[in-house]
Amino acid sequence: MKVTAKLTKIVICILMIFCLTSCNKRDQAVSVPADNKYITVGFSQVGAESDWRRANTESMKSALSRENGFELIYMDGQQKQTKQIMSVRTFIQQGVDFIVLAPVREDGFSTALQEAKAAGIPVIIVDRMVETENSPFTCFVGSDFRLEGVKVVEWLHAYAEAEGIDEGTLNIVNVQGTVGSSAQLGRGDGLLYGVEKYNWNLLDQQVGDYTQTKGKEVMEAFLNTYPELNVVYCENDNMAFGVIEAIEESGRKVGTDIKSGDILVLSFDGVSETAKNLVKEGKIACIGECNPHHGPRVSAIITSLIENRNVEKLSYVDESVFAFSDIVKKINADGQVYDIVNLGEQKAPEQTSENE
Ligand code: GZL
């Protein structure tokens, strides 16, 4: 009898251990919500201030879609850093899997990023950059804004040379993007690089905040103050639209014939057909392209991170330069040669295999 009792006890203990471990397994299985089949991504966008921004939002939404396995929580920062910081903190409380931040300006996000890190949530910075020292983020994908600016100023220099324009007569005004944003800081650096290298006259710099309305206001003031101005360095297309309105309403002419009194407009983005048509007309002489299509890159980065594959800390999108004519065919920016994409005249149709 004793042996049987002992054996029974052993069997019960074994059964209990089995049940406990399998229950735990079942508990662990239940602790992961059954509907958690999507990767949740909290995206804090700058706002909706420009065509570029709307294209960027569209790219992110179509890439981070449910069909692609994502649950996207989109928050519009309305160009206010306080709203974006609040969004990051909300995402942390919601326990999202990833945070994507398009920062309105470089400084001021470090604390919120530290909080996301402490919560174990990877942060991907897109488009504009945050200040890098002690700003913990997993990786960045966006543009090299200084390079964008250098490309445009090198185009202006090459154009002036090709047209026989004395560069000492270039009187430039700068309509700036949002102060403190890396797009504004970088493109502004590009301009100052050209002013110094080619001895241009930089008459003034005022903030247009990337919007058409403010771009027009700034240009109206410039026209009243600087009758000698003949070049406008505009840090995005929507401000350029406002600049062109202001110039034409003032009775001056927008164009590329500076020697005859035209005001030559330079810009950035090149996203909308409106902007490209203005280049064809010569009302915008040159656009430094700014690529808004970050969605697929962010989706690929998230997939790599989930699969524990390495991702580049900083990755930059490829961008070109659009111009109103092919008078300048190539430029050299920071030691790299770039072909100019001529929008002005339709080139001969591409050679096809039949008539090669
Ligand atoms: C650039 C982006 C800028 C665009 C503007 O990557 O941050 O912000 O040039 C947009 O059109 O408003």
Side-chain angles (χ1 to χ4, degrees):
M1 265 304 275
K2 271 188 181 172
V3 171
T4 317
K6 215 168 180 183
L7 266 177
T8 310
K9 275 186 184 170
I10 289 167
V11 168
I12 288 168
C13 283
I14 290 168
L15 279 176
M16 279 178 68
I17 290 165
F18 174 75
C19 174
L20 273 175
T21 49
S22 62
C23 290
N24 277 344
K25 280 214 179 63
R26 267 207 309 281
D27 288 350
Q28 281 165 3
V30 165
S31 68
V32 176
D35 66 350
N36 189 10
K37 57 181 181 293
Y38 295 111
I39 302 163
T40 56
V41 178
F43 174 34
S44 171
Q45 176 60 291
V46 167
E49 74 284 359
S50 66
D51 298 333
W52 187 98
R53 188 64 55 197
R54 285 184 284 277
N56 181 248
T57 297
E58 178 48 41
S59 172
M60 298 290 283
K61 285 183 175 177
S62 57
L64 302 177
S65 63
R66 283 193 161 211
E67 301 83 75
N68 294 334
F70 296 94
E71 182 70 49
L72 180 67
I73 306 163
Y74 171 82
M75 289 196 178
D76 177 344
Q78 295 173 335
Q79 288 189 281
K80 292 181 179 63
Q81 183 170 52
T82 49
K83 277 188 171 291
Q84 288 203 284
I85 290 171
M86 205 176 348
S87 298
V88 170
R89 289 180 167 144
T90 302
F91 296 146
I92 293 169
Q93 282 163 3
Q94 290 169 327
V96 297
D97 297 316
F98 292 87
I99 291 173
V100 177
L101 171 65
V104 63
R105 54 179 301 129
E106 286 199 349
D107 60 358
F109 284 101
S110 288
T111 305
L113 295 179
Q114 297 283 0
E115 290 164 10
K117 180 172 184 176
I121 301 175
V123 176
I124 299 167
I125 305 294
V126 293
D127 173 27
R128 303 175 188 174
M129 179 52 108
V130 290
E131 56 194 3
T132 42
E133 58 279 353
N134 66 47
S135 273
F137 57 88
T138 305
C139 60
F140 161 84
V141 58
S143 300
D144 180 338
F145 299 109
R146 182 185 177 281
L147 177 59
E148 288 178 357
V150 171
K151 289 176 187 174
V152 169
V153 299
E154 291 296 0
W155 179 89
L156 178 59
H157 166 66
Y159 176 69
E161 282 202 326
E163 288 289 278
I165 295 169
D166 170 5
E167 294 190 62
T169 65
L170 294 182
N171 300 316
I172 301 170
V173 289
N174 174 203
V175 185
Q176 297 176 302
T178 302
V179 174
S181 69
S182 45
Q184 191 282 313
L185 295 167
R187 291 168 188 167
D189 283 351
L191 173 60
L192 297 180
Y193 161 83
V195 167
E196 192 167 323
K197 183 176 179 184
Y198 300 118
N199 295 316
W200 299 334
N201 307 308
L202 179 56
L203 302 175
D204 204 344
Q205 299 174 281
Q206 293 297 331
V207 179
D209 237 359
Y210 293 125
T211 67
Q212 182 166 342
T213 306
K214 281 201 74 175
K216 182 175 182 181
E217 283 169 19
V218 167
M219 193 61 208
E220 284 165 345
F222 281 155
L223 287 162
N224 290 331
T225 313
Y226 306 104
E228 72 275 28
L229 75 86
N230 53 20
V231 175
V232 187
Y233 183 94
C234 223
E235 293 176 7
N236 89 325
D237 293 335
N238 293 84
M239 294 192 294
F241 302 160
V243 159
I244 290 165
E245 275 180 6
I247 293 170
E248 293 183 330
E249 286 172 9
S250 76
R252 295 278 308 265
K253 181 170 173 291
V254 181
T256 54
D257 189 353
I258 291 177
K259 286 192 230 177
S260 306
D262 285 2
I263 296 179
L264 182 141
V265 177
L266 305 166
S267 185
F268 294 86
D269 288 347
V271 167
S272 70
E273 282 314 305
T274 305
K276 290 182 177 175
N277 289 335
L278 286 167
V279 173
K280 287 175 185 162
E281 295 168 45
K283 289 192 174 183
I284 298 179
C286 175
I287 291 180
E289 184 192 20
C290 186
N291 182 339
H293 307 300
H294 298 139
R297 290 170 186 270
V298 171
S299 162
I301 286 169
I302 288 175
T303 305
S304 297
L305 291 172
I306 287 173
E307 293 168 358
N308 277 322
R309 282 189 275 119
N310 269 341
V311 295
E312 292 280 316
K313 179 76 176 177
L314 306 175
S315 60
Y316 295 94
V317 291
D318 297 327
E319 298 171 332
S320 54
V321 183
F322 305 124
F324 80 101
S325 86
D326 59 0
I327 192 165
V328 174
K329 295 191 188 311
K330 294 180 188 298
I331 50 113
N332 186 314
D334 289 350
Q336 174 92 26
V337 175
Y338 296 88
D339 291 330
I340 300 300
V341 176
N342 170 37
L343 297 182
E345 73 242 13
Q346 297 312 317
K347 291 197 177 290
E350 292 296 310
Q351 289 293 330
T352 54
S353 51
E354 290 77 54
N355 58 18
E356 237 149 16

